[in-house]
């Protein structure tokens, strides 16, 4: 529900390339629902592609995005209001710092009922369908009754808390790779998710951790986070380097995180026979590859990775113990009123992770 007599500032998506800073009604908590004062919300690469009109969001007769809607799924905040039964049901109190997982499960479909809620058939994600849940690029937001809610330690730095969602996705993706101690692991793409995957993969202690990206500054961060070999494919032969590390065979695990078709075809070349290829990216266009590589030539194990199921408590624990850090990943913060500037920065290579922070004034 929304309080029409009280308003707040929010960024509202009306369509591709049509996002506006507006005053909108404040949310009101119903049974088992929570109203949160947003502390920060990251801009995801998927948000940028949605803004740009990527077909996966806007294509077909039933587009995934249902505007007008407040975007943003990398949020966290402080409990402002609890609906009837919400405190007991979610285990939270007024003033707690909390995060909800990015999916709002229906709790009725076969996937939700079997514990595979992240693949919910209805599949409502915060920030894409207003009739279910607006996102976090706003002063306040509503966590619906079926939200998966987690408490955040009060002492956790804001920048660390702001990466819990992408870190949870990184953990799930790395886990899908089933990394073993003698594996050579390649992570393609050193954006926010790739850099977090690098930190998580390092904790698995593979034989060799390789990161590929076109931006030297990001490769330097990857080395800081534990990558032993970094490759810029703009001037280096990634396939030759990886084969030189593996006796000519190719890597054991390839994690595709570039969101570009070349990241897929590159991986099919440099992975060994019987290797594990993990696909995480959101693509702005279709990708074409020679599928005979997957079956006839290499018998690859192709695994998708979606969201961060059951990984939020792990992410919070890793951050609390200092085993993963936001330092170097979170690079910019903006007020809601500075949305246009923030989006330009998020799309550029001058940033890694950009945060929207209600009331923030440093960049004004």
């Amino acid at each position: 529900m929304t309080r029409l007599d009280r308003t707040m500032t929010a960024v509202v998506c009306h369509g591709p390339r049509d996002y506006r800073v507006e005053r909108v009604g404040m949310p009101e908590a119903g049974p088992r629902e929570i109203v949160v004062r947003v502390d920060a919300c990251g801009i995801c690469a998927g948000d940028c592609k949605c803004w740009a009109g990527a077909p996966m969001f806007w294509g077909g007769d039933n587009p995934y995005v249902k505007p007008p809607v407040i975007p943003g799924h990398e949020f966290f905040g402080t409990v402002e209001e609890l609906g009837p039964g919400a405190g007991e049901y979610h285990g939270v109190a007024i003033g707690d710092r909390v995060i909800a997982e990015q999916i709002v499960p229906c709790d009725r479909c076969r996937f939700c009922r079997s514990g595979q809620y992240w693949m919910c058939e209805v599949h409502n994600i915060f920030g894409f369908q207003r009739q279910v849940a607006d996102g976090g690029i706003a002063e306040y937001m509503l966590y619906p009754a079926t939200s998966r809610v987690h408490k955040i330690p009060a002492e956790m730095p804001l920048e660390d808390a702001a990466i819990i969602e992408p870190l949870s996705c990184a953990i799930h993706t790395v886990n899908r790779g089933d990394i073993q101690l003698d594996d050579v692991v390649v992570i393609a793409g050193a954006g926010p998710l790739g850099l977090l995957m690098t930190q998580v993969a390092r904790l698995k202690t593979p034989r060799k951790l390789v990161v590929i990206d076109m931006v030297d500054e990001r490769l330097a961060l990857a080395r800081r986070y534990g990558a032993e070999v970094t490759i810029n494919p703009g001037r280096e032969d990634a396939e030759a380097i990886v084969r030189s590390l593996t006796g000519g065979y190719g890597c054991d695990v390839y994690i595709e995180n570039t969101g570009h078709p070349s990241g897929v075809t590159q991986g099919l070349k440099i992975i060994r026979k019987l290797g594990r290829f993990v696909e995480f990216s959101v693509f702005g266009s279709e990708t074409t590859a020679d599928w005979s590589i997957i079956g006839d030539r290499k018998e690859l194990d192709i695994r998708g990775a979606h969201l961060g199921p059951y990984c939020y408590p792990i992410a919070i624990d890793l951050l609390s113990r200092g085993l993963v850090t936001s330092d170097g990943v979170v690079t910019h913060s903006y007020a809601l009123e500075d949305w246009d500037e923030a989006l330009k920065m998020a799309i550029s290579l001058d940033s890694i992770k950009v945060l929207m922070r209600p009331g923030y004034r440093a960049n004004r």
Side-chain angles (χ1 to χ4, degrees):
M1 296 178 63
T2 300
R3 287 192 182 98
L4 299 178
D5 59 328
R6 293 179 59 190
T7 62
M8 66 177 183
T9 300
V11 173
V12 181
C13 163
H14 291 273
R17 299 180 182 268
D18 186 7
Y19 286 47
R20 312 171 200 168
V21 179
E22 298 180 359
R23 296 293 294 180
V24 301
M26 280 188 58
E28 181 177 9
R32 293 187 176 179
E33 294 180 338
I34 303 172
V35 172
V36 171
R37 183 178 71 253
V38 178
D39 292 324
C41 184
I43 300 177
C44 171
D47 293 322
C48 296
K49 290 176 181 177
C50 182
W51 172 86
M56 72 158 293
F57 295 103
W58 299 101
D61 297 329
N62 184 29
Y64 185 66
V65 186
K66 304 293 193 300
V69 62
I70 299 171
H73 57 271
E74 295 185 0
F75 52 77
F76 82 97
T78 303
V79 176
E80 184 83 5
E81 177 189 349
L82 293 168
E88 297 80 4
Y89 184 74
H90 296 287
V92 301
I94 299 291
D96 283 345
R97 299 170 87 198
V98 293
I99 186 169
E101 299 190 25
Q102 63 272 68
I103 192 166
V104 184
C106 73
D107 279 354
R108 296 186 299 273
C109 71
R110 64 178 290 182
F111 301 108
C112 287
R113 289 183 177 274
S114 65
Q116 299 165 320
Y117 66 91
W118 72 101
M119 295 306 299
C120 172
E121 187 70 12
V122 181
H123 217 78
N124 291 310
I125 302 287
F126 280 103
F128 293 102
Q129 303 94 13
R130 167 163 281 186
Q131 65 270 31
V132 179
D134 277 316
I137 306 183
E139 291 184 279
Y140 297 88
M141 65 181 298
L142 179 76
Y143 293 176
T146 60
S147 301
R148 273 33 178 190
V149 179
H150 306 275
K151 290 176 66 172
I152 302 171
E155 67 275 10
M156 181 175 289
L158 179 143
E159 291 80 7
D160 280 359
I163 65 164
I164 291 171
E165 186 275 342
L167 176 56
S168 299
C169 293
I171 294 167
H172 179 56
T173 302
V174 169
N175 284 342
R176 291 285 285 158
D178 191 25
I179 295 171
Q180 303 298 310
L181 295 174
D182 61 345
D183 282 341
V184 172
V185 178
V186 172
I187 296 174
L193 266 298
L195 292 171
L196 293 174
M197 290 175 192
T198 301
Q199 295 187 58
V200 175
R202 175 204 61 199
L203 299 176
K204 299 283 189 177
T205 63
R207 177 159 59 94
K208 194 74 70 177
L209 180 57
V210 182
V211 175
I212 302 176
D213 198 272
M214 296 285 286
V215 181
D216 287 336
E217 291 79 7
R218 296 185 177 191
L219 293 176
L221 273 175
R223 290 192 294 273
R224 172 181 156 191
Y225 296 147
E228 295 146 296
V229 177
T230 56
I231 303 170
N232 185 326
R235 61 171 183 269
E236 298 174 285
D237 187 334
E239 182 178 4
I241 293 172
V242 171
R243 292 194 181 280
S244 73
L245 298 171
T246 58
Y249 288 100
C251 62
D252 304 280
V253 179
Y254 183 88
I255 297 176
E256 202 294 306
N257 185 53
T258 68
H260 192 276
S262 63
V264 176
T265 52
Q266 170 185 260
L268 293 176
K269 289 180 181 178
I270 68 176
I271 195 170
R272 67 165 170 84
K273 295 177 180 179
L274 302 175
R276 299 180 295 285
F277 188 120
V278 184
E279 179 55 66
F280 174 81
S281 289
V282 173
F283 289 83
S285 59
E286 292 185 358
T287 297
T288 300
D290 180 359
W291 270 53
S292 59
I293 297 173
I294 297 170
D296 183 63
R297 298 183 200 170
K298 292 189 176 181
E299 196 175 324
L300 298 176
D301 191 349
I302 305 294
R303 304 181 180 188
H306 180 56
L307 307 185
Y310 301 107
C311 293
Y312 280 65
I314 301 170
I316 292 168
D317 176 66
L318 292 179
L319 289 165
S320 296
R321 290 193 285 154
L323 296 174
V324 175
T325 181
S326 63
D327 184 28
V329 176
V330 175
T331 56
H332 295 79
S333 292
Y334 290 87
L336 298 177
E337 293 81 0
D338 296 326
W339 162 256
D340 290 337
E341 185 180 349
L343 179 67
K344 290 177 184 176
M345 180 59 71
I347 292 172
S348 79
L349 294 177
D350 296 326
S351 69
I352 297 180
K353 175 56 65 181
V354 174
L355 303 183
M356 302 302 298
R357 294 170 57 183
Y360 189 75
R361 290 292 177 264
N363 287 326
R364 298 204 61 167

